[in-house]
Amino acid sequence: MISVARLAILVGIAGLIPFIACVAAIFAMPQYSVALLGYFYLYSAGILAFMAGIYWPIAMQLDNRCYPLSPLMTMLLSQVFFVAAGIGLLLTTPAQIVLYTLAYLALYITDARWMRVYWPAWYLRLRLLLTLVAVACQLTVGAWFLLLHSS
């Protein structure tokens, strides 16, 4: 039987494939860039919303305790990231570049700073790797878009 850690690592790494594939496809097939950008940001929103959902079960387990965050704050954080993911889909591409890049960074900072006590060490290392790759993809797509449209 596969351990939870190995399964999470496998699923996490597999979750990077659409990010990386979209970046590669944008460079390889620029004629489809509008559709690919749409897919890229739709996937970005989906993953951000998915990751935000992890705070709900933690909040429900906290009951009346307030360390390191209260259940109310934990649930509100979940909603902030979830709503940001949805709002990002309604924005223009330059605004999406900024929103998703900052949201992924903020999500990791939240995990590493305030939620650290809930995660095993391997999970935070995994989250750091996944965040760095996702943010690198966000920045690459953003730079490509801005260079293409700055003329």
Side-chain angles (χ1 to χ4, degrees):
M1 177 166 272
I2 190 166
S3 71
V4 171
R6 287 181 193 257
L7 183 59
I9 291 167
L10 180 67
V11 171
I13 299 297
L16 293 176
I17 294 169
F19 282 119
I20 296 166
C22 245
V23 170
I26 284 172
F27 284 100
M29 301 179 293
Q31 68 273 25
Y32 299 111
S33 64
V34 172
L36 290 166
L37 276 174
Y39 297 143
F40 180 80
Y41 287 118
L42 182 62
Y43 187 72
S44 294
I47 293 299
L48 185 61
F50 172 78
M51 293 304 298
I54 201 165
Y55 298 140
W56 272 75
I58 290 172
M60 290 187 285
Q61 292 177 16
L62 291 176
D63 204 17
N64 292 323
R65 293 176 287 160
C66 292
Y67 177 79
L69 295 174
S70 71
L72 176 62
M73 183 56 86
T74 306
M75 283 189 158
L76 287 175
L77 275 171
S78 173
Q79 292 308 295
V80 165
F81 289 115
F82 179 79
V83 170
I87 288 174
L89 293 174
L90 304 174
L91 299 175
T92 62
T93 301
Q96 287 177 319
I97 295 164
V98 173
L99 183 133
Y100 288 117
T101 301
L102 293 178
Y104 276 96
L105 289 171
L107 189 65
Y108 176 75
I109 290 167
T110 299
D111 276 349
R113 167 89 191 214
W114 293 291
M115 305 304 282
R116 173 181 286 286
V117 297
Y118 301 109
W119 311 133
W122 65 263
Y123 179 75
L124 287 176
R125 287 190 302 272
L126 174 64
R127 287 280 293 114
L128 178 60
L129 171 68
L130 299 177
T131 299
L132 289 174
V133 174
V135 167
C137 289
Q138 297 292 333
L139 292 173
T140 302
V141 167
W144 175 87
F145 179 83
L146 293 174
L147 285 173
L148 189 69
H149 292 90
S150 65
S151 322

